[in-house]
Amino acid sequence: METIVMKFGGTSVATPEKIIGVAKRAIKEKEQGKRVVIVVSAMGKTTDTLLGLAAEISAEPPKREMDMLLATGEQVTISLLAMAFKQLGHEAVSFTGWQAGIETESVPRNARIEQIHTDRLEAVLNSGFFAVVAGFQGVDRIGNITTLGRGGSDTTAVALAAALKAEKCDIYTDVDGVYTSDPRFVNGARKLEQISYDEMLELANLGAGVLHPRAVEFAKNNNVPLTVRASYSDEPGTIIQEVVTVEKNLIVRGVAFEPGIARVTVTYNKPFNGSLANIFMTLAENHIDVDIIVQSISEEFQPSVSFSIKEDSLEEVRRVLDDNKEAIGFKSTEFEVGLAKVSIVGSGMVSNPGVAARMFDILRMSEIPVKMVSTSEIKISVVVPGGDMEKSANALHEAYGLG
Ligand code: ADP
Ligand code: ASP
Ligand code: MG
């Protein structure tokens, strides 16, 4: 019997009525002769509320306890959904992450799934029951509850689909597919019928919150057919797959953006071999994600290196750099907050020179200053003032004919 995984996000399970609706939708799938796994997020804005509670107690709460706290959100939803199935005359068993056998690395708040022991899930599915699994959480080797990073329920769903060799994984959400840009902020954003794993991975990594990046990674590596679709309608949604037929001959397929970026600049008296390695190894040892890196060495100015980070890791970066000033061997640091990253993505860029030049020209015409740049074969990202983020995204979306 084929297995399918259906995942419902926070908005889609925000009320008891919506949870009953999810159960009804899953029952329809089971009636087609499938084994059905449902992965759910915490109800509505529960995770934000839990974060707020912790912030009232501490500015830097212990990460292990944050995982313990945040994992409760999803546990509420799984129990209610299992009750809804029972109420509708069907059998279902709910599973927290550890009960579902989801083993992760020991990195609190941003753990990667390492393996899934599916025996308990298989047993329940083989008995003809629904398996209801809490998204966003797992357990490390020594039994600590871990969470997978904001938006991580998508990754739970795709990882389970891979482990159970599911026929497909459907991500049900509050938008009816993947758009050329976030439709909440960009006028004329258009729904894509299909998009490649690589393009989706870039968009997700660059801030398109519709899918958790690691979910796309899992889908690509395990060839899981992945669909993003609306939980409120029967529209077909967007298919994410290996190869796509491009609808129009567009070089740029999408525009992504991310607020809350900070730039850190570290200045030296003089450069020495290993100064870059020292900084970035120290940051990596502290599990701090660094994004764009720009080194500047010239005769006239003191040598420096700038890099971008997420604003919410700023305090930690400040502390780690201060604590290791001697060992790293730098002179001073400077921090700029309130920035945003705006990116264009498309596999057609590889063979089309001049895409970056055009992008800078569009931003110049909109009088938007570019603070940092980073390019790859299929994307170009710029860091701009946070107040210019939406304007930049709209200008690029329009200029590249995505609407
Ligand atoms: P869920 O709670 O279901 O996981 P999310 O809020 O995580 O939902 O993701 C859905 C949201 O992603 C949409 O409401 C939309 O505003 C945002 N989004 C960002 N970029 C895109 C995009 N390119 N296409 C569609 N939605 C996007
Ligand atoms: N509840 C978690 C969050 O809000 C995980 C998820 O929804 O995917 O980030
Ligand atoms: Mg999400």
Side-chain angles (χ1 to χ4, degrees):
M1 200 187 273
E2 293 278 15
T3 307
I4 63 163
V5 177
M6 307 168 77
K7 181 260 168 180
F8 293 84
T11 321
S12 311
V13 292
T15 61
E17 295 71 39
K18 285 188 174 181
I19 290 177
I20 294 168
V22 165
K24 287 183 177 159
R25 193 151 196 163
I27 290 168
K28 271 198 214 152
E29 293 283 354
K30 187 154 181 289
E31 284 168 353
Q32 309 290 311
K34 314 274 186 201
R35 305 196 310 171
V36 183
V37 178
I38 305 104
V39 174
V40 283
S41 293
M43 293 171 73
K45 299 261 171 253
T46 301
T47 308
D48 292 330
T49 308
L50 294 171
L51 285 167
L53 283 175
E56 283 187 42
I57 303 239
S58 163
E60 226 183 309
K63 288 185 176 175
R64 179 188 183 278
E65 304 311 329
M66 284 306 294
D67 279 346
M68 188 64 96
L69 175 70
L70 296 183
T72 63
E74 273 67 14
Q75 196 172 334
V76 171
T77 326
I78 52 169
S79 52
L80 293 176
L81 180 55
M83 291 175 203
F85 278 117
K86 185 82 191 166
Q87 191 60 29
L88 293 166
H90 289 257
E91 294 297 338
V93 180
S94 66
F95 294 88
T96 61
W98 70 266
Q99 290 175 326
I102 299 173
E103 199 175 294
T104 73
E105 55 180 6
S106 275
V107 177
R109 303 219 41 197
N110 200 22
R112 280 176 183 272
I113 295 177
E114 282 181 336
Q115 52 176 327
I116 305 186
H117 309 278
T118 54
D119 18 328
R120 267 179 97 175
L121 284 179
E122 290 279 5
V124 160
L125 292 169
N126 289 340
S127 307
F129 295 2
F130 287 96
V132 180
V133 182
F136 177 55
Q137 54 176 271
V139 65
D140 72 6
R141 290 235 177 110
I142 51 170
N144 292 306
I145 290 177
T146 51
T147 58
L148 312 182
R150 293 304 305 266
S153 296
D154 299 334
T155 300
T156 305
V158 182
L160 281 174
L164 294 164
K165 303 199 168 38
E167 169 194 358
K168 61 175 182 164
C169 180
D170 288 341
I171 306 286
Y172 291 86
T173 183
D174 61 1
V175 55
D176 62 355
V178 176
Y179 280 62
T180 48
S181 194
D182 189 336
R184 271 193 289 181
F185 300 97
V186 172
N187 296 324
R190 189 170 50 85
K191 183 171 134 189
L192 298 164
E193 265 172 46
Q194 31 172 344
I195 184 165
S196 69
Y197 288 126
D198 286 333
E199 287 171 324
M200 190 63 236
L201 188 57
E202 285 290 355
L203 285 175
N205 268 318
L206 295 167
V210 63
L211 278 177
H212 194 237
R214 286 179 191 160
V216 188
E217 226 172 87
F218 258 104
K220 178 180 159 68
N221 293 340
N222 297 282
N223 241 313
V224 176
L226 184 61
T227 301
V228 172
R229 51 186 304 184
S231 58
Y232 52 83
S233 82
D234 286 325
E235 290 293 303
T238 301
I239 300 168
I240 297 121
Q241 56 192 9
E242 193 60 49
V243 184
V244 303
T245 43
V246 176
E247 298 145 49
K248 280 197 249 170
N249 197 16
L250 291 177
I251 294 167
V252 176
R253 289 271 282 164
V255 177
F257 45 88
E258 188 184 356
I261 304 290
R263 176 166 69 169
V264 183
T265 302
V266 179
T267 307
Y268 300 94
N269 285 320
K270 60 176 186 344
F272 61 94
N273 265 348
S275 51
L276 274 184
N278 280 357
I279 295 187
F280 293 106
M281 275 168 68
T282 307
L283 294 171
E285 279 160 13
N286 286 277
H287 300 292
I288 292 165
D289 275 335
V290 169
D291 186 19
I292 304 175
I293 302 174
V294 182
Q295 187 177 219
S296 149
I297 296 180
S298 78
E299 294 290 308
E300 281 165 63
F301 302 105
Q302 284 195 316
S304 69
V305 57
S306 296
F307 54 91
S308 66
I309 54 166
K310 297 223 161 91
E311 231 166 49
D312 55 16
S313 60
L314 187 65
E315 284 317 309
E316 210 179 344
V317 171
R318 215 191 276 271
R319 181 171 50 73
V320 168
L321 288 177
D322 281 351
D323 289 353
N324 294 281
K325 191 166 180 187
E326 293 280 292
I328 299 173
F330 63 88
K331 181 175 166 244
S332 62
T333 49
E334 219 177 283
F335 300 90
E336 185 176 4
V337 296
L339 303 175
K341 185 166 75 170
V342 181
S343 311
I344 55 175
V345 172
S347 0
M349 280 184 205
V350 182
S351 47
N352 282 279
V355 184
R358 174 104 197 280
M359 181 177 189
F360 301 145
D361 198 39
I362 296 161
L363 293 170
R364 180 180 55 89
M365 285 188 299
S366 303
E367 294 175 3
I368 293 160
V370 173
K371 294 183 170 264
M372 296 176 105
V373 181
S374 141
T375 68
S376 81
E377 284 192 335
I378 69 167
K379 65 111 187 179
I380 304 170
S381 299
V382 294
V383 172
V384 299
D388 287 330
M389 181 182 78
E390 253 183 83
K391 187 171 150 197
S392 311
N394 276 282
L396 293 167
H397 192 267
E398 189 178 339
Y400 282 104
L402 294 176

